Amino acid sequence: VKAITMAEPAPKKQKVGQQQQLRASITLTEEEKHLFSLLLKTSEECALGTTLRAVGGWVRDKLLGRESKDIDIALDNMYGSEFAEHLVKYVGEVEGPTCISGYGIIRTNPEQSKHLETATLNMCGVPVDLVNLRCESYQEDSRIPQIRIGTPTEDALRRDLTINALFYNLNTGAVEDFTGQGLSDLENGIIRTPLPPQTTFFDDPLRVLRTIRFAARFNFKWGIVQFN
């Protein structure tokens, strides 16, 4: 795993996609600092022992110098609904009942390609989704995955693209790259799957369209793609 910390000096910046430059670290807004503090305090005060990580698009966009108001938090030792129950109770006690609104659980729905239960809420004015790190496995005769709580590496490898598989560890303040390619691909403007493309796309064919969309959105070039 590659990681960069908040205190690490900035390396020489390079252009990304001929338009963007990659930040050396993530700078949190005051709003994000407060939100992350409440998440960490919930784990601490409720003795949950949870490592919390912001994942996916928020991390990618912050490193590109773009603000993001949609935060996904991955948990290493419980499901999102479990953590959300503690969060709602703790934040309600210390911040008041109006700090959290729109709390709900989005259940799994394989027929609609929704395979992971997600706790969703609006916290201090910011939309937040809470999910567990996950590992997926597929049967030969089914496209519906079998899901369990996974490790950070397992979760990163099952994602669609390396640039979307970067984590920001709330506990340590470090950006984590468990694919070993996400940071360099983001810096060099490369679209690449964490696993061989035939594996990533066969698990979920809709990822082909998402990949094309991200390549066009960021003006990134394609990594090596080879199908057997």
Side-chain angles (χ1 to χ4, degrees):
V1 56
K2 296 180 180 179
I4 57 178
T5 65
M6 296 290 290
E8 192 170 288
K12 183 178 180 181
K13 293 181 178 179
Q14 300 182 24
K15 289 185 178 180
V16 177
Q18 299 180 344
Q19 295 178 353
Q20 299 293 332
Q21 291 183 324
L22 182 61
R23 300 270 179 102
S25 62
I26 286 179
T27 301
L28 301 179
T29 65
E30 291 303 315
E31 186 178 61
E32 290 165 342
K33 290 178 182 178
H34 183 56
L35 189 151
F36 288 173
S37 175
L38 289 174
L39 289 167
L40 291 170
K41 278 292 187 181
T42 297
S43 176
E44 179 183 346
E45 295 297 326
C46 298
L48 303 179
T50 304
T51 298
L52 300 105
R53 293 176 169 90
V55 300
W58 181 87
V59 183
R60 178 200 66 227
D61 289 348
K62 294 287 283 190
L63 287 171
L64 288 173
R66 305 181 181 189
E67 291 305 314
S68 177
K69 287 290 187 180
D70 188 9
I71 301 178
D72 295 337
I73 300 294
L75 315 162
D76 71 333
N77 63 351
M78 66 180 63
Y79 294 103
S81 57
E82 297 177 70
F83 190 89
E85 291 179 2
H86 293 284
L87 179 66
V88 170
K89 181 179 179 181
Y90 173 75
V91 172
E93 292 174 350
V94 299
E95 294 284 321
T98 61
C99 183
I100 290 182
S101 62
Y103 169 52
I105 305 297
I106 302 175
R107 303 295 180 184
T108 57
N109 187 353
E111 293 182 0
Q112 298 295 323
S113 298
K114 177 63 180 177
H115 304 303
L116 186 66
E117 181 179 281
T118 304
T120 181
L121 49 87
N122 191 292
M123 185 174 170
C124 303
V126 179
V128 178
D129 287 348
L130 297 164
V131 297
N132 58 282
L133 292 172
R134 61 174 167 164
C135 178
E136 298 175 350
S137 59
Y138 291 81
Q139 301 295 325
E140 291 185 0
D141 59 347
S142 175
R143 291 295 85 217
I144 299 176
Q146 304 296 313
I147 297 176
R148 61 172 173 81
I149 294 178
T151 66
T153 298
E154 289 172 329
D155 188 274
L157 291 176
R158 62 92 190 164
R159 292 180 178 269
D160 55 355
L161 300 170
T162 58
I163 63 171
N164 294 334
L166 296 167
F167 300 160
Y168 174 75
N169 189 315
L170 273 62
N171 298 67
T172 64
V175 174
E176 299 171 330
D177 181 4
F178 288 95
T179 71
Q181 295 178 304
L183 287 169
S184 61
D185 284 349
L186 191 61
E187 184 175 24
N188 295 311
I190 295 174
I191 290 290
R192 191 196 314 271
T193 55
L195 296 173
Q198 58 266 39
T199 300
T200 297
F201 294 149
F202 187 71
D203 285 348
D204 184 356
L206 290 177
R207 288 174 170 172
V208 175
L209 298 178
R210 283 173 50 83
T211 299
I212 295 172
R213 179 167 63 87
F214 278 115
R217 175 183 174 187
F218 294 110
N219 192 28
F220 280 10
K221 57 184 177 287
W222 295 84
I224 298 175
V225 178
Q226 178 179 352
F227 293 92
N228 294 325

